[in-house]
């Protein structure tokens, strides 16, 4: 009972926040009912997917302050588990998704133990390395299609297939990922004021002090890393059935890892709304730029220029991102 | 009955013995002062007891259990809390949230952690600051926050590292009263490192003196201030000088 109350407890937010959040939710709920282009629809689904990746990242990266640049490996494990299960054994999404999450969590414990012996930049670089190693492995692993990856042939199924999540129209995917989004947001609302949530913020502030308050710092980080991992893996599974074509270079690339971290940091690491704001700004920007500039966008490295600019802006002005600016302004006004 | 026994504690940093064969005992309910010149090894001694790092050699027994080499979070769970000499919470935690972290040690329940934190905030006179960041507070209040946070873990033994440094006389007075209350009313055994002699000599039941890592004296305050070795190593210049300027030469033993 207390858990439910805590999940739904938004009472520490000012009314304006809740008002805006509600308006956004209503808009998101109604969006597919209004006329829209297929492109806008796809962008919206990407927004949900990356919001959820960002929320997962935010547990360890935001509240815990451990800059993790290897989340793509868990997108990969989730996506590949679901894909392989479906193609080889016809196992539906709702079974393969939790299986993928379990595999991801196991992998996160295995690499988390040594990873969290490292600090700061060393940790960040090591997360990149583990992710790239896993990607390289998948690129030569025949069972999972090696570098060419795996694809779903939709005509083999009978959409709408709610078990395997095979649909013809994007609107189905939209509402499913929207539901995931709500659940993710509620979980994060529970998490941020949980014991682990506070312990992480204490660790981020000062590890020595955290230890002296009875916190097993290493274990707290590993646990949180597993939570982040589960988030990313579950959404990775969804990504696989939605995109229907996965290959290591796309699904597990360093780009994805960096985008996840950057988005959350841009929006506001360590805040509930941060990852959503970050995804809301960055995902449309990214896909519309690509649309306008066509194929040349990739060649010009527009993505990288944007990422670079964001990193500079965040580190120069406000390490806590866009939400940090709002909070700073509020704090000043209260005085 | 002894709450903490330290036997032949040695902590070496490279060639330097920051603690050199230090032994002492703290009785339950006691208020023990630890003094000595800068670099004498006082903080290092706290760090060894609190499990921040293992001692090079020696044995530490806490509440009847050999705890030598246990990590800090295990020591905290066994009832040892401490404050840090140089620490201002620079993070994004408010005063209330800082105290809450300590209160979460023995419970997962938010409501019981919160009500406990409320009690401690009230008791330490921090209620008005609860929603502020620690860095926005005056020094005296910041020091109270570190004590309040430590108290949240329900310690049997509380180690205080220079909680009165940088405070003015009236704040020192208040801190002194606060420490006494923690010790007497809440039954928490206290060991404190302090350079403010008025405080440490006034409230300590017993005082230990370290110099160059070694214990050079131990006894009740009024004997310590007359000990020629202590005067030579520490009190001599410093106590007399500080006394003359800061406290207007008010007579403490
Ligand atoms: N982590 C450490 N690494 C190396 N030397 C240290 C460390 N901590 C303390 N020291 C050294 O040990 C000696 C005692 O320091 P400390 O315990 O902080 O003294 P005090 O608290 O009595 O002023 C000093 O010479 C100090 O430089
Ligand atoms: Mg010291």
């Amino acid at each position: 009972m207390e858990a439910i109350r805590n999940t739904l407890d938004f009472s520490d937010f000012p009314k304006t926040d809740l008002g805006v959040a509600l308006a956004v939710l209503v808009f998101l709920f109604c969006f597919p009912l209004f006329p829209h282009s297929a492109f806008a629809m796809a962008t919206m689904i990407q927004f949900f997917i990356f919001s959820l990746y960002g929320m997962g990242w935010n547990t360890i990266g935001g509240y815990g302050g451990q800059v993790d640049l290897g989340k793509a490996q868990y997108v990969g494990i989730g996506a590949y588990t679901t894909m392989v299960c479906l193609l080889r054994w016809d196992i539906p999404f709702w079974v393969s998704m939790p299986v993928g999450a379990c595999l991801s969590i196991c992998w996160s414990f295995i690499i988390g133990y040594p990873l969290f012996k490292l600090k700061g930049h060393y940790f960040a670089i090591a997360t990149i390395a583990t992710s790239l190693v896993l990607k390289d492995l998948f690129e030569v692993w025949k069972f999972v299609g090696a570098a060419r990856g795996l694809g779903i042939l939709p005509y083999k199924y009978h959409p709408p297939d709610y078990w395997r999540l095979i649909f013809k129209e994007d609107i189905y995917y939209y509402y499913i990922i929207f539901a995931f989004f709500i659940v993710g947001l509620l979980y994060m609302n529970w998490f941020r004021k949980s014991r682990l949530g506070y312990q992480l913020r204490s660790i981020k502030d000062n590890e020595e002090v955290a230890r002296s308050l009875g916190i097993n710092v290493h274990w707290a980080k590993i646990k949180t890393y597993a939570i982040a991992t589960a988030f990313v893996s579950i959404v990775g599974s969804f990504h696989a059935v939605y995109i229907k074509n996965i290959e290591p270079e796309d699904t597990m690339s360093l780009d994805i890892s960096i985008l996840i971290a950057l988005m959350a940091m841009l929006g506001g690491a360590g805040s509930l709304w941060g990852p959503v704001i970050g995804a809301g700004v960055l995902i449309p920007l990214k896909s519309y730029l690509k649309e306008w500039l066509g194929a040349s966008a990739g060649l010009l490295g527009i993505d990288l220029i944007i990422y670079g600019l964001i990193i500079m802006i965040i580190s120069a002005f406000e390490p806590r991102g866009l939400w940090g600016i709002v909070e700073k302004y509020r704090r000043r006004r209260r005085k | 009955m002894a709450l903490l026994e330290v036997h032949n504690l040695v902590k070496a940093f490279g060639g330097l013995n920051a603690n050199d064969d230090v032994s002492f005992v703290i009785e339950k309910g006691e208020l023990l002062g630890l003094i000595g010149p800068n670099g004498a090894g006082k903080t290092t001694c706290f760090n060894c007891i609190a499990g921040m790092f293992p001692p090079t050699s020696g044995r530490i027994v806490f509440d009847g259990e050999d705890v030598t080499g246990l990590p800090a979070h295990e020591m905290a769970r066994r009832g040892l809390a401490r404050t840090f000499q140089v620490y201002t919470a620079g993070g994004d935690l408010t005063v209330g949230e800082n105290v809450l972290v300590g209160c979460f040690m023995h419970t997962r329940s938010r409501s019981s952690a919160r009500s406990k934190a409320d009690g401690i905030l009230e008791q330490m006179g921090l209620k008005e600051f609860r929603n502020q960041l620690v860095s926005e507070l005056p020094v005296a209040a910041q020091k109270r926050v570190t004590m309040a946070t430590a108290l949240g873990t329900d310690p049997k033994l509380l180690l205080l590292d220079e909680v009165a440094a940088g405070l003015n006389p009236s704040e020192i007075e208040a801190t002194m009263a606060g420490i006494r209350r923690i010790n007497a009313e809440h039954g928490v055994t206290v060991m404190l490192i302090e350079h403010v002699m008025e405080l440490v000599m006034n409230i300590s039941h017993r005082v230990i003196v370290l110099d160059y890592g070694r214990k050079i004296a131990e006894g009740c305050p009024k004997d310590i201030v007359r000990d020629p070795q202590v005067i030579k190593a520490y009190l001599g210049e410093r106590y007399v000088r500080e006394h003359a300027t800061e406290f207007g030469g008010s007579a403490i033993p």
Side-chain angles (χ1 to χ4, degrees):
Chain A
M1 254 359 260
E2 201 189 331
I4 296 173
R5 212 166 334 115
N6 289 333
T7 305
L8 298 174
D9 178 14
F10 289 90
S11 60
D12 56 325
F13 286 110
K15 290 232 163 52
T16 42
D17 283 20
L18 299 178
V20 172
L22 197 67
V24 170
L25 283 181
V26 169
F27 165 76
L28 291 174
F29 183 80
C30 297
F31 170 81
L33 309 177
F34 296 112
H36 56 264
S37 66
F39 177 74
M41 186 66 165
T43 302
M44 291 301 272
I45 293 175
Q46 286 297 324
F47 156 75
F48 286 125
I49 288 177
F50 275 88
S51 290
L52 283 159
Y53 286 156
M55 288 180 208
W57 181 91
N58 199 25
T59 55
I60 187 70
Y63 293 102
Q66 310 297 309
V67 177
D68 174 358
L69 297 177
K71 277 284 154 268
Q73 62 194 312
Y74 301 108
V75 176
I77 296 176
Y80 270 99
T81 305
T82 289
M83 210 60 153
V84 169
C85 281
L86 181 69
L87 298 180
R88 300 247 166 199
W89 306 297
D90 199 30
I91 296 172
F93 173 83
W94 298 107
V95 177
S96 66
M97 185 250 311
V99 170
C102 288
L103 289 175
S104 290
I105 289 171
C106 289
W107 178 242
S108 85
F109 277 124
I110 293 169
I111 66 167
Y113 190 84
L115 269 181
F116 286 111
K117 297 273 175 190
L118 305 172
K119 300 230 152 73
H121 302 304
Y122 297 103
F123 169 77
I125 290 167
T127 56
I128 295 179
T130 54
S131 193
L132 290 183
V133 166
L134 203 68
K135 186 188 116 195
D136 285 351
L137 199 86
F138 274 60
E139 274 180 343
V140 295
W141 190 5
K142 291 260 163 48
F143 185 74
V144 300
R148 289 181 49 203
L150 296 170
I152 298 174
L153 301 170
Y155 63 79
K156 280 189 164 172
Y157 304 92
H158 306 285
D161 187 333
Y162 290 98
W163 270 102
R164 300 178 181 82
L165 292 199
I166 311 284
F167 304 110
K168 268 213 210 73
E169 296 88 15
D170 271 0
I171 187 166
Y172 291 95
Y173 291 109
Y174 185 97
Y175 280 111
I176 288 167
I177 195 69
F178 181 60
F180 278 39
F181 175 81
I182 301 283
V183 172
L185 208 55
L186 290 176
Y187 176 81
M188 287 309 295
N189 189 49
W190 176 86
F191 177 86
R192 74 193 168 93
K193 284 160 80 186
S194 67
R195 174 161 88 155
L196 186 57
Y198 281 114
Q199 291 184 336
L200 283 169
R201 290 171 65 193
S202 172
I203 290 170
K204 179 181 179 178
D205 179 24
N206 186 323
E207 288 194 8
E208 303 267 273
V209 173
R211 291 171 64 204
S212 81
L213 295 174
I215 300 168
N216 184 341
V217 171
H218 193 230
W219 176 236
K221 287 178 183 173
I222 293 175
K223 256 194 307 196
T224 313
Y225 187 57
I227 293 172
T229 289
F231 253 86
V232 172
S233 175
I234 288 168
V235 181
S237 290
F238 175 87
H239 174 80
V241 288
Y242 166 63
I243 290 287
K244 299 190 179 55
N245 247 308
I246 57 170
E247 50 184 275
E249 191 50 49
D250 271 359
T251 320
M252 302 173 78
S253 71
L254 182 58
D255 269 30
I256 302 279
S257 290
I258 290 183
L259 187 58
I260 291 171
L262 211 58
M263 229 178 40
M265 284 194 264
L266 172 70
S271 70
L272 180 63
W273 313 126
V276 181
I277 295 172
V281 172
L282 218 51
I283 296 299
L285 190 71
K286 201 170 123 72
S287 43
Y288 278 94
L289 271 179
K290 220 182 214 160
E291 172 92 339
W292 289 331
L293 298 171
S296 61
L299 291 177
L300 289 171
I302 293 288
D303 289 11
L304 294 177
I305 294 174
I306 294 176
Y307 297 168
L309 275 176
I310 290 171
I311 291 174
M312 287 198 293
I313 291 170
I314 293 174
S315 48
F317 289 110
E318 178 52 66
R320 298 194 55 210
L322 295 172
W323 189 249
I325 295 172
V326 175
E327 285 202 323
K328 207 186 244 173
Y329 171 75
R330 279 186 179 157
R331 207 168 269 285
R332 207 170 297 153
R333 230 183 33 174
R334 217 179 304 142
K335 276 205 200 123
Chain B
M1 207 191 126
L3 179 61
L4 180 82
E5 299 166 36
V6 175
H7 299 286
N8 310 101
L9 176 70
V10 177
K11 179 69 196 180
F13 293 116
L16 171 95
N17 279 4
N19 284 152
D20 198 357
D21 201 26
V22 176
S23 300
F24 62 89
V25 167
I26 308 178
E27 301 295 326
K28 273 204 177 110
E30 203 175 8
L31 222 161
L32 180 71
L34 178 60
I35 62 171
N38 276 322
K42 304 179 296 294
T43 300
T44 303
C45 180
F46 270 18
N47 282 334
C48 286
I49 297 170
M52 303 312 288
F53 40 59
T56 307
S57 69
R59 217 158 59 84
I60 298 166
V61 179
F62 183 61
D63 213 9
E65 181 192 7
D66 188 335
V67 293
T68 317
L70 276 188
H73 65 270
E74 290 289 347
M75 289 307 296
R77 304 207 146 266
R78 281 166 175 69
L80 187 134
R82 66 167 301 182
T83 65
F84 289 80
Q85 184 180 349
V86 272
Y87 166 67
T88 42
D92 53 10
L93 289 156
T94 63
V95 171
E97 288 170 334
N98 258 290
V99 177
L100 196 57
V101 175
C103 295
F104 263 121
M105 190 173 85
H106 288 300
T107 178
R108 271 178 193 287
S109 154
R110 299 174 196 202
S111 47
S112 55
R114 269 201 211 113
S115 63
K116 186 159 164 199
D118 284 345
I120 292 174
L121 286 169
E122 173 91 68
Q123 176 198 331
M124 297 296 288
L126 289 167
K127 233 179 169 171
E128 49 172 327
F129 299 124
R130 65 179 314 153
N131 292 322
Q132 274 171 287
L133 295 179
V134 181
S135 53
E136 299 171 334
L137 265 48
V139 182
Q142 286 189 6
K143 300 266 177 179
R144 286 210 301 282
V145 175
T146 64
M147 279 198 269
T149 307
L151 278 179
T153 64
D154 276 335
K156 292 181 189 140
L157 174 60
L158 178 60
L159 308 179
L160 300 174
D161 199 343
E162 301 200 18
V163 284
L167 305 190
N168 67 34
S170 71
E171 290 164 345
I172 289 172
E173 199 70 42
T175 305
M176 202 144 67
I179 296 172
R180 270 210 187 99
R181 192 148 21 93
I182 290 167
N183 176 248
E185 287 172 26
H186 300 267
V188 179
T189 308
V190 177
M191 179 168 177
L192 72 156
I193 296 175
E194 201 50 74
H195 283 302
V196 179
M197 283 305 122
E198 170 165 278
L199 187 148
V200 71
M201 291 304 180
N202 245 321
I203 67 174
S204 302
H205 304 151
R206 211 151 50 89
V207 176
I208 289 175
V209 189
L210 287 185
D211 188 31
Y212 291 110
R214 297 185 146 272
K215 186 173 89 174
I216 59 166
E218 173 173 358
C220 61
K222 69 176 193 305
D223 294 338
I224 288 292
V225 294
R226 297 208 178 87
D227 188 312
Q229 241 190 315
V230 178
I231 294 174
K232 186 160 164 278
Y234 180 53
L235 291 181
E237 341 94 65
R238 197 192 160 104
Y239 182 49
V240 174
R241 189 180 61 232
E242 259 187 14
H243 219 60
T245 53
E246 255 178 58
F247 308 119
S250 76
I252 292 173

